[in-house]
Amino acid sequence: MIRLGEPRSLGVPAPEARLHFDTELQEIGGGPRRRLLMVDDEPAFELSFYCGTCPLLFRRLETATQKLSLESVQDRLAGALEDPDDGGVIEAFGALLPEGEYLPLLLEVEPRLVVPGQQGDYFSGEQVATWGIDQFWGLPEYPHTPYYRTFETAVDADAHLYEFVVPMVPPTWNERERVEEYVALMGRGTVPTAVAISTLDVCQPSLGLADDPSTHWGLTHFLLDGHHKLEAAATAGRPVRILSLLALGEGLAGAEDSARLPAVRTQPRSARATNLKQRRRSHLRDNNSAHSGQLHRQQAN
């Protein structure tokens, strides 16, 4: 399920916003070094680098300790929003954000909790297939946080969309009783709503370096509200809705890519078959074909 609102101007001046995007400058030379998501003037996440060929990244930093829930809209979010504009939720959370253009997306997802380095981890799986391991560390990128995977689909033959929900604080910080309450509510059919600010990063590797040199569209939802709901949905295998406020102009995506995103997001879910997997399948087919031909020749003789 996906429902769209109209792109709109939201937010307050950056110095007044609890959350904003920033660029850390080098002390010498003045060039950009890191893109950052800031919460209460503290760096919360390091984001994908500007270079255009670097891999997708969301890396939790030591000062990421704050959630941004709003008590004033909790009743509206206890169940499923039916429309992005329902109940003044956008305006309420817009007051936490920096001035800018945002595209509201209302999504229904079934999240799957992923621990870095373990099964299903994007950074040690699909990302390594495209970029390889980090040449300095000799390891995959490491996000320093568990996160949720929710959706993926093909953009075209050479590009794939990967969607993530990233908690501001780890699920281990959640209150167990509240998680269990949501598990019980979801078991009775309730579909609660979470709220996130989101970015779209389109990252393309340098040519000739990868097993699967495809472009990765990373749709990353940073949770403002709904940490207990996402964990409960992942635990119970139940759906949850996410009101995403996509920050237009803050990700590594052009206007045309952002405009295509809603249509791409409505496509059927599909995993990407990497070139490495395809080559392995082709190799197996070639071996099987050669073996069959050898048998045929032996039988003919």
Side-chain angles (χ1 to χ4, degrees), residues 207-221:
L207 296 177
L209 298 180
D211 294 318
D212 180 34
S214 61
T215 299
H216 289 212
W217 288 38
L219 177 57
T220 307
H221 308 294

Side-chain angles (χ1 to χ4, degrees), residues 20-277:
H20 68 276
F21 297 91
D22 202 353
T23 301
E24 183 181 66
L25 300 180
Q26 296 177 358
E27 294 182 4
I28 300 176
R33 186 171 65 184
R34 296 193 303 176
R35 293 171 58 230
L36 298 170
L37 180 64
M38 309 283 292
V39 176
D40 292 337
D41 292 326
E42 294 284 356
F45 284 86
E46 181 182 355
L47 308 179
S48 308
F49 192 61
Y50 279 108
C51 73
T53 60
C54 294
L56 175 73
L57 181 64
F58 51 84
R59 178 181 288 129
R60 182 171 177 258
L61 303 174
E62 292 180 355
T63 45
T65 60
Q66 298 296 320
K67 301 178 186 178
L68 295 173
S69 298
L70 295 176
E71 290 298 325
S72 61
V73 294
Q74 290 307 302
D75 289 345
R76 291 298 308 119
L77 299 176
L81 285 185
E82 297 299 333
D83 185 275
D85 292 313
D86 224 356
V89 175
I90 290 177
E91 288 71 20
F93 281 94
L96 304 177
L97 306 180
E99 289 177 319
E101 292 294 311
Y102 297 85
L103 175 64
L105 303 169
L106 186 58
L107 310 171
E108 187 162 298
V109 301
E110 292 186 12
R112 174 167 52 94
L113 182 62
V114 172
V115 175
Q118 297 187 15
Q119 184 177 3
D121 177 28
Y122 162 83
F123 294 96
S124 55
E126 294 95 334
Q127 190 174 92
V128 168
T130 296
W131 278 272
I133 60 174
D134 183 277
Q135 294 301 301
F136 179 79
W137 297 108
L139 295 167
E141 294 287 354
Y142 192 75
H144 288 269
T145 182
Y147 59 94
Y148 300 94
R149 294 192 66 167
T150 52
F151 182 78
E152 61 176 292
T153 194
V155 177
D156 54 41
D158 299 315
H160 204 77
L161 171 71
Y162 300 95
E163 183 178 78
F164 312 94
V165 179
V166 182
M168 288 289 183
V169 298
T172 52
W173 290 22
N174 290 340
E175 298 171 17
R176 295 301 101 201
E177 289 185 2
R178 288 192 64 192
V179 173
E180 290 167 6
E181 287 173 3
Y182 279 116
V183 168
L185 285 171
M186 291 176 181
R188 296 194 291 271
T190 298
V191 181
T193 304
V195 181
I197 184 171
S198 307
T199 56
L200 177 64
D201 288 349
V202 177
C203 303
Q204 184 174 10
S206 300
L207 296 177
L209 298 180
D211 294 318
D212 180 34
S214 61
T215 299
H216 289 212
W217 288 38
L219 177 57
T220 307
H221 308 294
F222 295 94
L223 274 182
L224 303 178
D225 183 281
H227 288 70
H228 297 89
K229 298 168 186 173
L230 263 292
E231 185 182 354
T235 299
R238 304 290 296 185
V240 64
R241 290 193 180 176
I242 297 178
L243 174 59
S244 157
L245 301 176
L246 179 65
L248 301 174
E250 294 293 355
L252 304 183
E256 292 183 0
D257 295 330
S258 297
R260 287 184 64 191
L261 175 64
V264 171
R265 186 54 181 76
T266 62
Q267 295 177 172
R269 179 192 304 269
S270 63
R272 180 168 177 81
T274 67
N275 288 349
L276 179 60
K277 292 177 181 177

